[in-house]
Amino acid sequence: MNTLKISFFAALLSSTVGMAQYVPLGAITSWTDGYVVTTDNDTIRGKVRVGAMVNDAPASVVVRTADDKKITFKGEKLRLVAQDIPKFAYATGAIPRVREQVVFERVPNPRKDGKTALLERLSHPGKITLYFDASGWKKSAEYTFGNFTIGTNPKDLSFVVVKDQTNARIVKKGTIDEEHEALFGDCPAFVRQFPAATRRDWNRFGEIVEAYNRTCVIGTALN
């Protein structure tokens, strides 16, 4: 890659929204503002809490509506769960303030033979979106805000990467170079500026995805 291409790509990355690759927070089990979208495409807003988790995905979600009515949903009946992050959770600076919600979306899970599951979204929605891969993270330390826990200094992380909301794959540091063509090869304008990826690019993988989404056609966001 020549100097001009490096400068151009650096400009692309600098134009992306900060913290394009989030650390997973997990579902919030205390009441917080939010909403759910059902598999029938109904949207219910109010106070939202996750009552139970199975395999790091919400298995039971309760919504308390404005008229104080409580509605319980099973995880398999939901397409999306969005919870506002409580203001006190930003106190240590570990959570970027640009991240306002914890969002779970129903997407194909390659670890489950492509069956859909509610996975925590770890990037801005777009043609390519990153999700939490629970089986690919090791936590060296963790601390708790209220009823949810934040892992720090994750090692050997991987992502469930979903393209066009249908094509899902596991991407990790050791395979980022192998996945480059499958993820970005359909956008010649992007590939000309960033023709390959290596392990050194792993820490900015979210920024690279964001730059691709801005350069190429952006997919429809689920929310």
Short mmCIF file of all heavy atoms in Angstrom, two decimals, residues 151-197:
data_model
loop_
_atom_site.label_atom_id
_atom_site.label_comp_id
_atom_site.label_asym_id
_atom_site.label_seq_id
_atom_site.Cartn_x
_atom_site.Cartn_y
_atom_site.Cartn_z
N GLY A 151 -16.67 -6.98 31.39
CA GLY A 151 -15.35 -7.60 31.36
C GLY A 151 -14.31 -6.62 30.86
O GLY A 151 -14.59 -5.82 29.97
N THR A 152 -13.13 -6.67 31.41
CA THR A 152 -12.06 -5.77 30.98
C THR A 152 -10.91 -6.57 30.39
O THR A 152 -10.71 -7.74 30.72
CB THR A 152 -11.54 -4.93 32.16
OG1 THR A 152 -11.03 -5.80 33.18
CG2 THR A 152 -12.65 -4.08 32.74
N ASN A 153 -10.14 -5.92 29.53
CA ASN A 153 -8.98 -6.54 28.89
C ASN A 153 -9.29 -7.90 28.28
O ASN A 153 -8.66 -8.91 28.61
CB ASN A 153 -7.84 -6.70 29.91
CG ASN A 153 -7.41 -5.36 30.48
OD1 ASN A 153 -7.30 -4.38 29.75
ND2 ASN A 153 -7.17 -5.33 31.77
N PRO A 154 -10.29 -7.98 27.39
CA PRO A 154 -10.61 -9.27 26.78
C PRO A 154 -9.45 -9.77 25.92
O PRO A 154 -8.79 -8.99 25.25
CB PRO A 154 -11.84 -8.97 25.93
CG PRO A 154 -11.73 -7.51 25.64
CD PRO A 154 -11.10 -6.89 26.84
N LYS A 155 -9.22 -11.08 25.95
CA LYS A 155 -8.17 -11.68 25.15
C LYS A 155 -8.77 -12.75 24.25
O LYS A 155 -9.77 -13.38 24.57
CB LYS A 155 -7.10 -12.31 26.06
CG LYS A 155 -6.38 -11.28 26.95
CD LYS A 155 -5.34 -11.97 27.83
CE LYS A 155 -4.60 -10.96 28.69
NZ LYS A 155 -3.62 -11.61 29.57
N ASP A 156 -8.12 -12.96 23.12
CA ASP A 156 -8.56 -13.99 22.18
C ASP A 156 -10.01 -13.82 21.77
O ASP A 156 -10.71 -14.79 21.54
CB ASP A 156 -8.36 -15.40 22.78
CG ASP A 156 -6.91 -15.68 23.12
OD1 ASP A 156 -6.05 -15.15 22.40
OD2 ASP A 156 -6.66 -16.39 24.09
N LEU A 157 -10.47 -12.54 21.69
CA LEU A 157 -11.86 -12.32 21.35
C LEU A 157 -12.14 -12.66 19.90
O LEU A 157 -11.25 -12.68 19.05
CB LEU A 157 -12.24 -10.87 21.61
CG LEU A 157 -11.60 -9.79 20.73
CD1 LEU A 157 -12.51 -8.57 20.67
CD2 LEU A 157 -10.25 -9.37 21.29
N SER A 158 -13.39 -12.93 19.63
CA SER A 158 -13.86 -13.11 18.26
C SER A 158 -15.24 -12.48 18.16
O SER A 158 -15.85 -12.14 19.17
CB SER A 158 -13.92 -14.60 17.90
OG SER A 158 -14.77 -15.31 18.78
N PHE A 159 -15.69 -12.29 16.95
CA PHE A 159 -17.01 -11.70 16.70
C PHE A 159 -17.84 -12.63 15.84
O PHE A 159 -17.31 -13.35 14.99
CB PHE A 159 -16.89 -10.36 15.97
CG PHE A 159 -16.20 -9.28 16.74
CD1 PHE A 159 -14.88 -8.95 16.48
CD2 PHE A 159 -16.88 -8.57 17.73
CE1 PHE A 159 -14.24 -7.94 17.19
CE2 PHE A 159 -16.25 -7.56 18.43
CZ PHE A 159 -14.93 -7.24 18.17
N VAL A 160 -19.15 -12.61 16.05
CA VAL A 160 -20.07 -13.09 15.03
C VAL A 160 -20.26 -11.90 14.09
O VAL A 160 -20.74 -10.84 14.50
CB VAL A 160 -21.42 -13.54 15.62
CG1 VAL A 160 -22.40 -13.87 14.50
CG2 VAL A 160 -21.23 -14.74 16.52
N VAL A 161 -19.87 -12.06 12.85
CA VAL A 161 -19.94 -10.98 11.88
C VAL A 161 -21.06 -11.31 10.89
O VAL A 161 -21.04 -12.37 10.25
CB VAL A 161 -18.60 -10.81 11.14
CG1 VAL A 161 -18.68 -9.68 10.13
CG2 VAL A 161 -17.47 -10.56 12.13
N VAL A 162 -22.04 -10.42 10.80
CA VAL A 162 -23.20 -10.66 9.94
C VAL A 162 -23.18 -9.65 8.80
O VAL A 162 -23.12 -8.44 9.02
CB VAL A 162 -24.52 -10.54 10.72
CG1 VAL A 162 -25.71 -10.78 9.79
CG2 VAL A 162 -24.55 -11.55 11.87
N LYS A 163 -23.23 -10.17 7.60
CA LYS A 163 -23.24 -9.32 6.40
C LYS A 163 -24.59 -9.42 5.73
O LYS A 163 -25.14 -10.53 5.56
CB LYS A 163 -22.13 -9.74 5.44
CG LYS A 163 -22.00 -8.83 4.23
CD LYS A 163 -20.74 -9.13 3.44
CE LYS A 163 -20.59 -8.14 2.29
NZ LYS A 163 -19.33 -8.35 1.55
N ASP A 164 -25.17 -8.29 5.36
CA ASP A 164 -26.47 -8.24 4.70
C ASP A 164 -27.56 -8.92 5.51
O ASP A 164 -28.55 -9.41 4.96
CB ASP A 164 -26.40 -8.87 3.30
CG ASP A 164 -25.46 -8.10 2.38
OD1 ASP A 164 -25.45 -6.86 2.45
OD2 ASP A 164 -24.73 -8.75 1.60
N GLN A 165 -27.37 -8.97 6.83
CA GLN A 165 -28.34 -9.51 7.79
C GLN A 165 -28.61 -11.00 7.60
O GLN A 165 -29.47 -11.57 8.27
CB GLN A 165 -29.66 -8.74 7.71
CG GLN A 165 -29.51 -7.26 8.02
CD GLN A 165 -30.80 -6.50 7.90
OE1 GLN A 165 -31.89 -7.06 7.97
NE2 GLN A 165 -30.70 -5.19 7.72
N THR A 166 -27.87 -11.67 6.72
CA THR A 166 -28.14 -13.09 6.45
C THR A 166 -26.88 -13.95 6.51
O THR A 166 -26.94 -15.11 6.94
CB THR A 166 -28.79 -13.28 5.07
OG1 THR A 166 -27.94 -12.68 4.07
CG2 THR A 166 -30.16 -12.61 5.01
N ASN A 167 -25.75 -13.44 6.08
CA ASN A 167 -24.52 -14.21 5.98
C ASN A 167 -23.70 -14.00 7.25
O ASN A 167 -23.15 -12.93 7.47
CB ASN A 167 -23.74 -13.78 4.74
CG ASN A 167 -22.49 -14.60 4.53
OD1 ASN A 167 -22.17 -15.50 5.31
ND2 ASN A 167 -21.75 -14.28 3.48
N ALA A 168 -23.61 -15.03 8.09
CA ALA A 168 -22.91 -14.90 9.37
C ALA A 168 -21.69 -15.80 9.41
O ALA A 168 -21.70 -16.92 8.91
CB ALA A 168 -23.85 -15.26 10.52
N ARG A 169 -20.60 -15.27 10.02
CA ARG A 169 -19.37 -16.04 10.16
C ARG A 169 -18.67 -15.62 11.44
O ARG A 169 -18.93 -14.54 11.99
CB ARG A 169 -18.46 -15.82 8.95
CG ARG A 169 -18.05 -14.39 8.72
CD ARG A 169 -17.21 -14.24 7.46
NE ARG A 169 -17.97 -14.48 6.27
CZ ARG A 169 -17.70 -15.46 5.38
NH1 ARG A 169 -16.68 -16.25 5.54
NH2 ARG A 169 -18.43 -15.62 4.32
N ILE A 170 -17.79 -16.50 11.93
CA ILE A 170 -16.96 -16.19 13.09
C ILE A 170 -15.65 -15.61 12.58
O ILE A 170 -14.98 -16.22 11.73
CB ILE A 170 -16.67 -17.44 13.95
CG1 ILE A 170 -17.98 -18.09 14.41
CG2 ILE A 170 -15.79 -17.08 15.13
CD1 ILE A 170 -18.79 -17.25 15.36
N VAL A 171 -15.27 -14.43 13.07
CA VAL A 171 -14.01 -13.81 12.69
C VAL A 171 -13.20 -13.55 13.96
O VAL A 171 -13.73 -13.00 14.92
CB VAL A 171 -14.22 -12.50 11.92
CG1 VAL A 171 -12.88 -11.88 11.54
CG2 VAL A 171 -15.04 -12.75 10.65
N LYS A 172 -11.94 -13.96 13.95
CA LYS A 172 -11.06 -13.73 15.09
C LYS A 172 -9.72 -13.24 14.57
O LYS A 172 -9.47 -13.19 13.36
CB LYS A 172 -10.90 -14.99 15.92
CG LYS A 172 -10.47 -16.23 15.15
CD LYS A 172 -10.53 -17.46 16.04
CE LYS A 172 -10.18 -18.72 15.25
NZ LYS A 172 -10.23 -19.93 16.12
N LYS A 173 -8.85 -12.90 15.49
CA LYS A 173 -7.57 -12.29 15.14
C LYS A 173 -6.79 -13.16 14.16
O LYS A 173 -6.19 -12.66 13.20
CB LYS A 173 -6.74 -12.04 16.40
CG LYS A 173 -5.45 -11.27 16.17
CD LYS A 173 -4.77 -10.96 17.50
CE LYS A 173 -3.51 -10.14 17.30
NZ LYS A 173 -2.87 -9.80 18.60
N GLY A 174 -6.79 -14.47 14.39
CA GLY A 174 -6.00 -15.37 13.55
C GLY A 174 -6.58 -15.62 12.18
O GLY A 174 -5.91 -16.21 11.32
N THR A 175 -7.83 -15.18 11.92
CA THR A 175 -8.45 -15.44 10.62
C THR A 175 -8.85 -14.18 9.87
O THR A 175 -9.45 -14.26 8.80
CB THR A 175 -9.71 -16.32 10.79
OG1 THR A 175 -10.70 -15.62 11.56
CG2 THR A 175 -9.38 -17.63 11.47
N ILE A 176 -8.50 -13.00 10.42
CA ILE A 176 -8.95 -11.76 9.79
C ILE A 176 -8.44 -11.64 8.36
O ILE A 176 -9.15 -11.16 7.47
CB ILE A 176 -8.52 -10.54 10.63
CG1 ILE A 176 -9.07 -9.24 10.02
CG2 ILE A 176 -7.01 -10.47 10.81
CD1 ILE A 176 -8.81 -8.01 10.87
N ASP A 177 -7.21 -12.13 8.09
CA ASP A 177 -6.68 -12.05 6.73
C ASP A 177 -7.46 -12.95 5.78
O ASP A 177 -7.71 -12.60 4.63
CB ASP A 177 -5.19 -12.39 6.72
CG ASP A 177 -4.89 -13.76 7.31
OD1 ASP A 177 -5.68 -14.23 8.15
OD2 ASP A 177 -3.85 -14.35 6.94
N GLU A 178 -7.86 -14.14 6.27
CA GLU A 178 -8.59 -15.08 5.44
C GLU A 178 -10.00 -14.58 5.12
O GLU A 178 -10.58 -14.94 4.09
CB GLU A 178 -8.68 -16.44 6.15
CG GLU A 178 -7.33 -17.06 6.46
CD GLU A 178 -7.46 -18.26 7.39
OE1 GLU A 178 -8.60 -18.71 7.61
OE2 GLU A 178 -6.43 -18.71 7.91
N GLU A 179 -10.57 -13.79 6.01
CA GLU A 179 -11.95 -13.33 5.85
C GLU A 179 -12.05 -12.03 5.05
O GLU A 179 -13.15 -11.60 4.71
CB GLU A 179 -12.59 -13.12 7.23
CG GLU A 179 -12.64 -14.37 8.10
CD GLU A 179 -13.63 -15.39 7.59
OE1 GLU A 179 -14.38 -15.09 6.64
OE2 GLU A 179 -13.64 -16.53 8.11
N HIS A 180 -10.93 -11.42 4.76
CA HIS A 180 -10.95 -10.10 4.11
C HIS A 180 -11.75 -10.11 2.82
O HIS A 180 -12.61 -9.24 2.59
CB HIS A 180 -9.51 -9.63 3.87
CG HIS A 180 -9.43 -8.26 3.27
ND1 HIS A 180 -9.49 -8.04 1.91
CD2 HIS A 180 -9.29 -7.04 3.84
CE1 HIS A 180 -9.39 -6.74 1.67
NE2 HIS A 180 -9.26 -6.12 2.83
N GLU A 181 -11.50 -11.08 1.95
CA GLU A 181 -12.17 -11.12 0.65
C GLU A 181 -13.67 -11.34 0.81
O GLU A 181 -14.48 -10.67 0.16
CB GLU A 181 -11.55 -12.21 -0.22
CG GLU A 181 -12.28 -12.47 -1.54
CD GLU A 181 -12.27 -11.26 -2.48
OE1 GLU A 181 -11.35 -10.44 -2.38
OE2 GLU A 181 -13.19 -11.17 -3.31
N ALA A 182 -14.06 -12.28 1.68
CA ALA A 182 -15.48 -12.58 1.86
C ALA A 182 -16.25 -11.39 2.41
O ALA A 182 -17.40 -11.16 2.04
CB ALA A 182 -15.64 -13.79 2.78
N LEU A 183 -15.61 -10.63 3.30
CA LEU A 183 -16.30 -9.51 3.93
C LEU A 183 -16.30 -8.25 3.06
O LEU A 183 -17.33 -7.56 2.97
CB LEU A 183 -15.64 -9.19 5.27
CG LEU A 183 -15.81 -10.24 6.38
CD1 LEU A 183 -14.99 -9.84 7.60
CD2 LEU A 183 -17.27 -10.39 6.75
N PHE A 184 -15.18 -7.94 2.44
CA PHE A 184 -15.03 -6.64 1.79
C PHE A 184 -14.85 -6.71 0.27
O PHE A 184 -14.83 -5.68 -0.39
CB PHE A 184 -13.81 -5.91 2.38
CG PHE A 184 -13.80 -5.86 3.88
CD1 PHE A 184 -12.74 -6.39 4.61
CD2 PHE A 184 -14.85 -5.29 4.58
CE1 PHE A 184 -12.72 -6.34 5.99
CE2 PHE A 184 -14.86 -5.24 5.97
CZ PHE A 184 -13.78 -5.77 6.68
N GLY A 185 -14.73 -7.93 -0.27
CA GLY A 185 -14.38 -8.08 -1.68
C GLY A 185 -15.42 -7.57 -2.66
O GLY A 185 -15.12 -7.39 -3.84
N ASP A 186 -16.66 -7.33 -2.20
CA ASP A 186 -17.69 -6.86 -3.12
C ASP A 186 -17.69 -5.35 -3.28
O ASP A 186 -18.56 -4.79 -3.94
CB ASP A 186 -19.07 -7.32 -2.63
CG ASP A 186 -19.42 -6.77 -1.26
OD1 ASP A 186 -18.53 -6.27 -0.56
OD2 ASP A 186 -20.62 -6.87 -0.88
N CYS A 187 -16.71 -4.67 -2.68
CA CYS A 187 -16.63 -3.21 -2.77
C CYS A 187 -15.25 -2.81 -3.31
O CYS A 187 -14.32 -2.57 -2.54
CB CYS A 187 -16.88 -2.58 -1.41
SG CYS A 187 -16.88 -0.77 -1.45
N PRO A 188 -15.08 -2.76 -4.63
CA PRO A 188 -13.77 -2.46 -5.22
C PRO A 188 -13.18 -1.15 -4.70
O PRO A 188 -11.96 -1.06 -4.51
CB PRO A 188 -14.06 -2.39 -6.72
CG PRO A 188 -15.28 -3.25 -6.91
CD PRO A 188 -16.09 -3.05 -5.67
N ALA A 189 -14.02 -0.14 -4.48
CA ALA A 189 -13.50 1.15 -4.01
C ALA A 189 -12.81 1.00 -2.66
O ALA A 189 -11.78 1.63 -2.40
CB ALA A 189 -14.64 2.17 -3.90
N PHE A 190 -13.37 0.15 -1.80
CA PHE A 190 -12.76 -0.07 -0.49
C PHE A 190 -11.51 -0.93 -0.61
O PHE A 190 -10.48 -0.64 0.00
CB PHE A 190 -13.77 -0.74 0.45
CG PHE A 190 -13.24 -0.94 1.84
CD1 PHE A 190 -13.24 0.09 2.76
CD2 PHE A 190 -12.73 -2.18 2.22
CE1 PHE A 190 -12.75 -0.10 4.04
CE2 PHE A 190 -12.23 -2.38 3.50
CZ PHE A 190 -12.24 -1.33 4.42
N VAL A 191 -11.57 -2.00 -1.41
CA VAL A 191 -10.45 -2.91 -1.56
C VAL A 191 -9.23 -2.21 -2.16
O VAL A 191 -8.08 -2.51 -1.80
CB VAL A 191 -10.85 -4.14 -2.41
CG1 VAL A 191 -9.64 -5.01 -2.72
CG2 VAL A 191 -11.91 -4.95 -1.68
N ARG A 192 -9.48 -1.26 -3.04
CA ARG A 192 -8.34 -0.52 -3.61
C ARG A 192 -7.57 0.24 -2.54
O ARG A 192 -6.35 0.38 -2.62
CB ARG A 192 -8.84 0.47 -4.68
CG ARG A 192 -9.18 -0.17 -6.02
CD ARG A 192 -9.29 0.87 -7.11
NE ARG A 192 -10.39 1.80 -6.86
CZ ARG A 192 -11.64 1.60 -7.28
NH1 ARG A 192 -11.95 0.51 -7.95
NH2 ARG A 192 -12.57 2.49 -7.02
N GLN A 193 -8.27 0.70 -1.52
CA GLN A 193 -7.61 1.45 -0.46
C GLN A 193 -7.12 0.54 0.66
O GLN A 193 -6.20 0.89 1.39
CB GLN A 193 -8.58 2.50 0.12
CG GLN A 193 -9.21 3.41 -0.91
CD GLN A 193 -8.20 4.09 -1.81
OE1 GLN A 193 -7.08 4.40 -1.37
NE2 GLN A 193 -8.56 4.32 -3.06
N PHE A 194 -7.74 -0.62 0.81
CA PHE A 194 -7.37 -1.54 1.89
C PHE A 194 -7.40 -2.96 1.35
O PHE A 194 -8.34 -3.71 1.59
CB PHE A 194 -8.35 -1.37 3.06
CG PHE A 194 -7.86 -1.99 4.34
CD1 PHE A 194 -6.76 -1.47 5.01
CD2 PHE A 194 -8.50 -3.10 4.88
CE1 PHE A 194 -6.32 -2.04 6.20
CE2 PHE A 194 -8.07 -3.68 6.06
CZ PHE A 194 -6.97 -3.15 6.72
N PRO A 195 -6.39 -3.34 0.55
CA PRO A 195 -6.43 -4.60 -0.19
C PRO A 195 -6.24 -5.85 0.66
O PRO A 195 -6.50 -6.97 0.19
CB PRO A 195 -5.27 -4.45 -1.19
CG PRO A 195 -4.34 -3.48 -0.53
CD PRO A 195 -5.20 -2.53 0.23
N ALA A 196 -5.79 -5.72 1.89
CA ALA A 196 -5.57 -6.90 2.73
C ALA A 196 -5.66 -6.49 4.20
O ALA A 196 -5.60 -5.31 4.54
CB ALA A 196 -4.20 -7.51 2.44
N ALA A 197 -5.82 -7.49 5.06
CA ALA A 197 -5.85 -7.26 6.50
C ALA A 197 -4.92 -8.27 7.17
O ALA A 197 -4.78 -9.40 6.70
CB ALA A 197 -7.26 -7.40 7.05
#
